[in-house]
Amino acid sequence: MPEHWGVSSLGYYANISTGATPDRSKKEYWGGDIPWIKTGEVKYKEILETEEHITPEGVCNSAVTISPPGTLLMAMYGQGVTRGRVAILGVSATYNQACAAITPKETMWNKYLRYFFIAAYHAIRDGGNETSQMNLNADIVSKFKITIPEINEQHQIVKYLDFELERFDKLIKKAVDAIKLMQERRTALISAAVTGKIDVRKWKPPEQNK
């Protein structure tokens, strides 16, 4: 770590809270216009849409919080790949009790923090509580140690990663497309051989180099 960077607990640089779930038995609390997020929807990308919505009555009669765009969410529960994933809200939304809402203070940028947690994903998962099936909680999240560059450097890091990762994503797409094409050709070859479209009666395997 560069000497001019700092290290501190997340709770010092951000406010952390958790969500809630309105009573499922109250139909009047569900099906409204207010987005409500489950941990399975926290998948690193900006959250613009949600599977479920609640009503103003659901907000008023539960402990849910409406957080503004830019809030960073972390999934605290999940034995699969879910626990430890993060995403940034692109819209005002509520969320369940398995999500930690992280609102950085002025010296911390949410997009830098998102990349930091992506890099620290495995360490975050190891920071769970074994007595609760390795789930996280707000207290554990607030104690995570984070590296703190100057705010301008945080912006430079994000700008650099956005550019470089776009290049990687394009290369990955090309590789995936190439693999898909090879798989299609492999299947076509098998089909052609077993339906007689290829005459293999005079075919011999190539001699191996001795």
Side-chain angles (χ1 to χ4, degrees):
M1 188 183 73
E3 292 183 358
H4 64 283
W5 286 23
V7 178
S8 186
S9 298
L10 176 63
Y12 184 78
Y13 286 94
N15 296 316
I16 302 164
S17 61
T18 57
T21 301
D23 190 341
R24 288 279 187 182
S25 67
K26 303 289 186 180
K27 293 183 179 180
E28 62 270 25
Y29 294 172
W30 296 90
D33 298 323
I34 302 170
W36 183 79
I37 299 167
K38 302 184 292 290
T39 55
E41 298 172 270
V42 180
K43 299 178 179 179
Y44 299 119
K45 296 182 179 180
E46 184 180 29
I47 298 177
L48 297 172
E49 297 180 356
T50 60
E51 296 175 359
E52 295 187 90
H53 296 75
I54 61 175
T55 63
E57 291 84 355
V59 173
C60 293
N61 293 283
S62 69
V64 300
T65 299
I66 300 178
S67 291
T71 302
L72 185 72
L73 292 187
M74 177 182 289
M76 297 190 294
Y77 301 174
Q79 288 301 99
V81 298
T82 302
R83 187 180 73 254
R85 292 193 307 202
V86 292
I88 293 177
L89 291 183
V91 294
S92 295
T94 60
Y95 35 87
N96 70 12
Q97 62 275 11
C99 291
I102 303 168
T103 306
K105 299 177 183 178
E106 292 182 359
T107 53
M108 179 63 62
W109 195 28
N110 60 351
K111 292 186 177 180
Y112 166 79
L113 199 55
R114 171 182 169 271
Y115 275 130
F116 176 87
F117 283 134
I118 291 174
Y121 172 74
H122 292 290
I124 290 170
R125 290 179 63 82
D126 291 340
N129 183 345
E130 292 185 1
T131 62
S132 59
Q133 299 181 337
M134 295 300 290
N135 289 337
L136 302 171
N137 57 49
D139 184 58
I140 292 173
V141 172
S142 70
K143 293 178 181 177
F144 284 144
K145 298 296 182 182
I146 55 174
T147 53
I148 318 294
E150 293 290 335
I151 190 68
N152 291 336
E153 193 168 358
Q154 292 177 38
H155 281 262
Q156 283 298 107
I157 290 170
V158 170
K159 184 177 180 180
Y160 168 79
L161 286 175
D162 283 347
F163 178 81
E164 292 294 334
L165 292 181
E166 183 178 0
R167 292 176 58 242
F168 272 100
D169 289 342
K170 289 179 179 178
L171 290 173
I172 291 170
K173 185 179 185 304
K174 288 182 179 180
V176 169
D177 290 343
I179 291 171
K180 182 179 179 180
L181 178 61
M182 294 300 291
Q183 290 173 333
E184 291 173 352
R185 290 180 176 177
R186 180 179 183 275
T187 300
L189 178 65
I190 294 171
S191 178
V194 301
T195 57
K197 293 179 180 178
I198 299 176
D199 188 349
V200 300
R201 289 175 293 179
K202 295 182 180 181
W203 178 84
K204 293 182 181 180
E207 293 184 4
Q208 296 181 351
N209 295 329
K210 296 182 180 180

